[in-house]
């Protein structure tokens, strides 16, 4: 039986990718971790198209690479876009990037019911106490710091857990994120409504793109078309919030109406049948407004994944940001629990790095949407992305591959490091393209932002480190006065002078 009052080092709320990742990486260091989720797994979730950094970086760190590789998920080699005026779709392949060459140049399209359960069961195996069917009610606010959590179990019994940290990984519907003392700021730019359902028997793109995500813009927004298996396809329309009224009625009819208006999707679905039963049998509607919290942490509490921020789904960055932030937060938690660096400094490092990664995607996506804003300029903008110089395409792929953050530990997770080093010849090209001073040759607006060039500079430095066999830990902080990851990536350290 569960004690009514208990003490742990860390209580994690939410067993999605963010929660399972942070819980596992903290438990791996011998700390006592309790994770609760209000659902019983497997549970449905949207967010099926993943990026290579999650698969080859985070999954390797968690020790689930093999299980994920053997789960039968659809291999994703890149993305195919029909974006704007040109009728011809164009594709990018993760393999174009020398940073993620060879065996690591793919990701998966995953059924989240399966993927999230793999990560959660792995957390359990690594020593995390997992309780399903348990809902967070409120944090215990001790004034100076958050001191624990109140939750209810399946029977509705209230429990109190005292902890050094509460990690909020409960996603966009978090009830407790305000426990850190901040509020959510919504983006004016990305205010969409998504409407999505499942089909069997939809067409596949020709090889080698059959496993790609296909995104098609049309007058009212854009569609995703994600092959989850040979038979099953996830199809979603992302439309402006002004269309809310239209999609609120009967979502299935609304989706059918939108499919009809988007020729490439209509065409792909010409022989398909909507799924009407089981977990994939509904057409669901979700606001996917982008937001970011004004604070990510407070003494005793931290927000990770969607609980902290979310940005538009067009480049499949959600699970990457969730698991990447979870890895960063685990470092901060481990560092403080071991008494190595004070809490303020340790969590400022977390927040700064997560905001930076989020900002990178945010700016990139804004530019991407901007291409579609005006037909006259769109055509040329789109051409620039597809026909841009190799250096730009590599930068683009590095960005959507989620490895541009310069994270030694993500990129350098044991299995990946050797492969990166093996790509040494290509790396030389990449370094040349990025430039000795780190400047990115950015003829397209996509690559002119200072955030992108900063990140590229950091990325190329870390690549060189991995290539020349130095310690995985970065020696130069990302921010002035900041911290660096330890060689094993599990904690932060004060850089040596
Ligand atoms: P979640 O996956 O939301 O997990 C949170 C967990 O917390 C859930 O299991 C929930 O049951 C639990 N929980 C919630 N409240 C409580 C509570 N009070 N007590 C206990 N437990 C609680 N991302 C991609 O990478 N690729 C995509 O293709 C993609 N497409 C998307 C399309 C749309 C329309 C949207 C809206 C998002 C998309 N995303 C995509 C984003 C992706 O869904 C999220 O970024 C990702 O699931 C975040 O992971 P997380 O672990 O932070 O939260």
């Amino acid at each position: 039986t569960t004690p009514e009052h208990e003490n742990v080092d860390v209580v994690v709320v939410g067993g999605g990718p963010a929660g399972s990742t942070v819980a596992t990486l903290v438990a791996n260091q011998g700390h006592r971790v309790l994770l609760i989720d209000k659902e019983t797994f497997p549970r449905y979730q949207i967010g099926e198209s993943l990026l290579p950094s999650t698969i080859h970086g985070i999954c390797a760190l968690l020790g689930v690479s093999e299980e994920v590789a053997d789960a039968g998920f659809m291999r994703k080699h890149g993305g195919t876009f029909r974006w704007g005026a040109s009728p011809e779709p164009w594709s990018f392949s993760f393999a174009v990037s020398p940073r993620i060459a060879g065996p690591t140049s793919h990701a998966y399209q995953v059924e989240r019911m399966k993927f999230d359960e793999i990560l959660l069961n792995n957390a359990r195996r690594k020593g995390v106490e997992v309780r399903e069917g348990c809902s967070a009610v409120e944090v215990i606010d001790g004034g100076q710091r958050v001191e624990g959590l109140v939750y209810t179990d399946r029977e509705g019994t209230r429990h109190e857990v005292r902890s050094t940290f509460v990690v909020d990984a409960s996603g966009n519907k978090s009830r407790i994120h305000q426990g850190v003392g901040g509020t959510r700021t919504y983006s004016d730019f990305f205010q969409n409504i998504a409407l999505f359902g499942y089909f069997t028997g939809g067409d596949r793109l020709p090889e080698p793109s059959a496993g790609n995500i296909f995104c098609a813009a049309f007058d009212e927004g854009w569609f995703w078309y994600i092959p989850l298996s040979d038979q099953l396809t996830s199809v979603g329309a992302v439309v402006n919030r002004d269309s809310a009224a239209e999609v609120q009625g009967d979502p299935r009819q609304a989706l059918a109406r939108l499919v009809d208006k988007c020729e490439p999707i209509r065409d792909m679905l010409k022989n398909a049948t909507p799924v009407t039963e089981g977990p994939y049998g509904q057409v669901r509607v979700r606001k996917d407004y982008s937001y970011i919290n004004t604070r990510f942490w407070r003494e005793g509490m931290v927000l990770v994944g969607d609980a902290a921020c979310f940005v538009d789904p067009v480049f499949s960055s959600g699970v990457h940001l969730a698991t990447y932030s979870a890895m960063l937060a685990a470092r901060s938690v481990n560092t403080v629990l071991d008494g190595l660096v004070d809490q303020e400094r340790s969590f400022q490092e977390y927040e700064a790095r997560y905001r930076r990664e989020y900002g990178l995607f945010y700016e990139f996506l804004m530019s991407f949407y901007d291409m579609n804003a005006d037909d006259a300029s769109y055509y040329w903008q789109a051409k620039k992305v597809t026909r841009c110089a190799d250096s730009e395409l590599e930068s683009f792929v590095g960005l959507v591959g989620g490895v541009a953050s310069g994270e030694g530990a993500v990129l350098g997770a044991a299995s990946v490091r050797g492969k990166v080093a093996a790509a040494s010849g290509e790396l030389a090209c990449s370094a040349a393209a990025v430039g000795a001073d780190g400047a990115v040759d950015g003829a397209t607006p996509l690559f002119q932002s200072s955030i992108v060039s900063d990140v590229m500079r950091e990325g190329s430095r870390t690549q060189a480190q991995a290539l020349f066999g130095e310690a995985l830990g970065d020696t130069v902080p990302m921010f002035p006065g900041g911290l660096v990851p330890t060689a094993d990536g599990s904690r932060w350290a004060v850089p040596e002078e």
Side-chain angles (χ1 to χ4, degrees):
T1 56
T2 307
E4 297 255 327
H5 294 274
E6 62 184 325
N7 273 289
V8 293
D9 294 317
V10 180
V11 52
V12 176
V13 182
S20 291
T21 298
V22 66
T24 303
L25 295 178
V26 172
N28 274 349
Q29 299 306 312
H31 304 301
R32 285 168 308 154
V33 184
L34 167 67
L35 182 154
I36 63 163
D37 199 294
K38 65 180 169 50
E39 304 282 342
T40 302
F41 283 59
R43 60 95 179 86
Y44 177 85
Q45 178 57 296
I46 192 61
E48 297 148 332
S49 195
L50 304 189
L51 296 180
S53 61
T54 303
I55 299 304
H56 305 292
I58 300 291
C59 288
L61 282 176
L62 296 175
V64 289
S65 297
E66 259 182 50
E67 205 178 332
V68 169
D70 293 344
F73 296 130
M74 178 67 83
R75 249 175 195 254
K76 169 188 179 187
H77 292 287
T80 299
F81 290 82
R82 161 59 181 80
W83 200 254
S86 162
E88 284 309 307
W90 52 274
S91 296
F92 75 85
S93 155
F94 295 128
V96 174
S97 170
R99 280 178 289 282
I100 39 176
T104 60
S105 58
H106 67 274
Y108 296 108
Q109 317 285 16
V110 299
E111 293 187 53
R112 288 284 301 274
M113 285 190 288
K114 295 183 185 163
F115 182 75
D116 289 13
E117 193 175 33
I118 289 175
L119 296 195
L120 189 64
N121 284 339
N122 177 61
R124 242 187 215 114
R125 281 197 302 274
K126 301 283 160 61
V128 176
E129 164 80 24
V130 175
R131 292 182 199 147
E132 299 173 49
C134 292
S135 276
V137 177
E138 60 189 5
V139 297
I140 302 170
D141 189 340
Q144 296 293 321
R145 57 175 284 260
V146 171
E147 294 178 348
L149 183 80
V150 177
Y151 73 89
T152 52
D153 64 19
R154 281 181 217 281
E155 282 75 44
T157 308
R158 265 170 93 91
H159 300 266
E160 263 187 44
V161 193
R162 300 277 159 177
S163 62
T164 310
F165 289 106
V166 172
V167 177
D168 181 11
S170 60
N172 70 322
K173 293 209 182 78
S174 166
R175 283 172 68 171
I176 56 167
H177 66 90
Q178 283 166 335
V180 297
T183 51
R184 274 186 183 173
T185 305
Y186 285 85
S187 158
D188 289 336
F189 190 85
F190 300 109
Q191 298 205 340
N192 294 316
I193 307 261
L195 190 66
F196 43 99
Y198 295 81
F199 293 80
T200 52
D203 286 358
R204 294 289 172 255
L205 294 169
E207 289 294 355
S209 305
N212 281 10
I213 183 171
F214 177 43
C215 292
F218 69 118
D219 282 353
E220 288 174 41
W222 60 273
F223 264 94
W224 76 72
Y225 188 95
I226 300 174
L228 291 173
S229 71
D230 288 347
Q231 278 303 311
L232 187 64
T233 309
S234 164
V235 178
V238 175
V239 295
N240 193 278
R241 65 167 170 171
D242 300 338
S243 313
E246 198 192 334
V247 304
Q248 289 307 336
D250 177 345
R252 190 171 291 285
Q253 279 176 10
L255 184 61
R257 215 165 35 239
L258 291 166
V259 166
D260 219 39
K261 289 180 179 167
C262 183
E263 194 192 329
I265 299 295
R266 190 177 68 213
D267 196 44
M268 298 282 283
L269 289 175
K270 61 182 179 302
N271 300 316
T273 313
V275 178
T276 54
E277 286 178 351
Y280 293 127
Q282 286 174 41
V283 170
R284 296 171 164 93
V285 180
R286 244 182 77 176
K287 286 198 283 193
D288 73 17
Y289 294 4
S290 299
Y291 56 80
I292 185 159
N293 273 60
T294 52
R295 296 191 55 128
F296 285 7
W297 72 280
R298 173 192 167 194
E299 292 270 316
M301 180 169 178
V302 61
L303 314 180
V304 299
D306 277 9
C309 50
F310 173 72
V311 66
D312 190 90
V314 73
F315 272 114
S316 318
S317 52
V319 174
H320 160 67
L321 288 170
T323 53
Y324 173 74
S325 67
M327 180 200 71
L328 296 176
R331 281 183 192 159
S332 298
V333 167
N334 288 331
T335 305
V336 174
L337 287 177
D338 293 347
L340 301 174
V341 178
D342 69 67
Q343 194 159 150
E344 172 136 11
R345 200 168 172 196
S346 197
F347 280 90
Q348 271 173 0
E349 187 68 35
Y350 164 70
E351 179 158 343
R353 287 191 189 230
Y354 190 15
R355 278 188 193 279
R356 176 190 167 112
E357 190 76 2
Y358 175 86
L360 169 68
F361 277 93
Y362 189 95
E363 286 209 13
F364 179 81
L365 293 172
M366 230 163 41
S367 308
F368 196 74
Y369 269 78
D370 191 47
M371 287 176 179
N372 231 15
D374 163 358
D375 272 2
S377 70
Y378 166 73
Y379 179 81
W380 295 107
Q381 298 263 23
K383 279 271 186 264
K384 277 182 187 158
V385 175
T386 51
R387 291 208 184 151
C388 64
D390 283 350
S391 62
E392 288 159 8
L393 193 54
E394 281 162 11
S395 309
F396 173 77
V397 170
L399 177 61
V400 297
V403 295
S405 57
E407 265 301 329
V410 171
L411 193 66
S415 68
V416 181
R417 196 167 23 145
K419 290 159 193 159
V420 170
S424 58
E426 288 166 335
L427 181 62
C429 308
S430 145
V434 173
D437 62 356
V440 179
D441 178 17
T444 68
L446 289 183
F447 300 105
Q448 282 167 359
S449 88
S450 61
I451 296 182
V452 171
S453 57
D454 276 3
V455 163
M456 291 307 297
R457 184 184 304 124
E458 181 66 18
S460 66
R461 199 183 59 72
T462 312
Q463 287 293 318
Q465 244 188 5
L467 177 62
F468 298 119
E470 292 174 28
L472 267 186
D474 300 343
T475 52
V476 179
M478 198 176 257
F479 307 100
L483 302 170
V484 294
T486 52
D488 68 356
S490 68
R491 295 176 179 75
W492 299 116
V494 178
E496 286 170 22
E497 286 305 316

